[in-house]
Amino acid sequence: EAGVAQSPRYKIIEKRQSVAFWCNPISGHATLYWYQQILGQGPKLLIQFQNNGVVDDSQLPKDRFSAERLKGVDSTLKIQPAKLEDSAVYLCASSKTGGYDSPLHFGNGTRLTVT
Amino acid sequence: KNEVEQSPQNLTAQEGEFITINCSYSVGISALHWLQQHPGGGIVSLFMLSSGKKKHGRLIATINIQEKHSSLHITASHPRDSAVYICAVRNYGGSQGNLIFGKGTKLSVKP
């Protein structure tokens, strides 16, 4: 089974620029998550999709962050404009269902550096 | 006080040693995850527990719901086990992805 694919692996941008990250979950997984992991901290959920609908985006800074999963498969996370404090690893994860007994599978993440 | 506490923060072991990493939490949970994170960011889900004990190869995870405590054991440790091990819980009523993460335990296994 192919894992969760993310791209790019690394990105360096200047503040106020825009950036987009892409995630392709495991085939057949209905639930997709985006996490932000700042150095030295645990991941923080940004948004959770169930198919193409948003389940939880309570911690997404909506003034600058947006995410979509239009066809219920792959997803894009965008930051516009970026700030220095957005430097982090952005992790995508998927699970078969949204149920508590459905394990999460993580991608390798995208490391963003904002200068 | 963090809702999920792990100990130790850092652990150095010799190859072959038996390793225990502990996780205590203060909220009611529906599931607890043990995750492994290698340098470079990739996270692998090792276990998801809601009760009892699970075993996979040299890894064993246990949970005591009454005591709000879980342990991850590694038997016959190997340098390739070197990674950060993260405990994360899903509390009652939370969406499945909205996990509360511990700060991780950095394990280094020396040959």
Side-chain angles (χ1 to χ4, degrees):
Chain A
E1 166 180 86
V4 176
Q6 286 189 249
S7 66
R9 284 286 280 130
Y10 304 94
K11 190 75 178 178
I12 301 174
I13 62 171
E14 295 181 350
K15 59 184 179 184
R16 290 186 289 273
Q17 285 187 324
S18 301
V19 65
F21 313 125
W22 175 82
C23 172
N24 194 17
I26 291 173
S27 178
H29 280 199
T31 314
L32 184 148
Y33 317 82
W34 282 103
Y35 291 88
Q36 179 193 59
Q37 186 176 21
I38 293 171
L39 187 65
Q41 299 181 19
K44 179 183 87 171
L45 180 70
L46 293 175
I47 190 166
Q48 177 182 345
F49 291 95
Q50 186 72 18
N51 298 307
N52 61 348
V54 175
V55 173
D56 184 350
D57 63 356
S58 56
Q59 299 188 94
L60 186 74
K62 297 180 186 64
D63 56 335
R64 298 183 301 105
F65 285 64
S66 64
E68 58 184 18
R69 193 186 184 199
L70 292 175
K71 295 182 180 177
V73 181
D74 55 347
S75 175
T76 305
L77 176 70
K78 295 179 183 175
I79 308 175
Q80 181 181 5
K83 293 185 176 181
L84 294 176
E85 58 261 34
D86 298 332
S87 294
V89 175
Y90 290 84
L91 293 160
C92 180
S94 70
S95 67
K96 206 166 192 179
T97 72
Y100 79 92
D101 57 347
S102 183
L104 270 68
H105 299 260
F106 287 83
N108 285 329
T110 295
R111 184 176 296 274
L112 173 68
T113 303
V114 182
T115 63
Chain B
K1 188 182 189 305
N2 292 328
E3 291 166 303
V4 179
E5 296 273 4
Q6 285 186 238
S7 64
Q9 276 189 289
N10 293 283
L11 180 56
T12 300
Q14 286 299 127
E15 184 173 356
E17 285 185 0
F18 180 84
I19 287 162
T20 297
I21 300 170
N22 295 299
C23 175
S24 296
Y25 52 91
S26 57
V27 296
I29 69 167
S30 55
L32 181 145
H33 297 254
W34 280 104
L35 309 166
Q36 180 192 55
Q37 186 168 31
H38 282 285
I43 291 180
V44 174
S45 179
L46 298 174
F47 295 103
M48 188 174 68
L49 297 162
S50 54
S51 64
K53 176 180 173 178
K54 286 190 176 180
K55 184 176 189 293
H56 182 70
R58 296 180 294 107
L59 301 178
I60 303 166
T62 63
I63 188 168
N64 185 319
I65 296 293
Q66 287 73 29
E67 294 186 4
K68 296 189 174 179
H69 181 268
S70 175
S71 293
L72 176 69
H73 306 286
I74 306 175
T75 61
S77 60
H78 191 276
R80 64 174 174 267
D81 297 326
S82 298
V84 175
Y85 291 84
I86 303 171
C87 171
V89 303
R90 179 192 177 210
N91 61 334
Y92 285 126
S95 63
Q96 196 233 16
N98 207 354
L99 302 171
I100 305 171
F101 289 83
K103 291 189 175 179
T105 294
K106 186 174 181 180
L107 172 65
S108 178
V109 182
K110 306 291 186 190

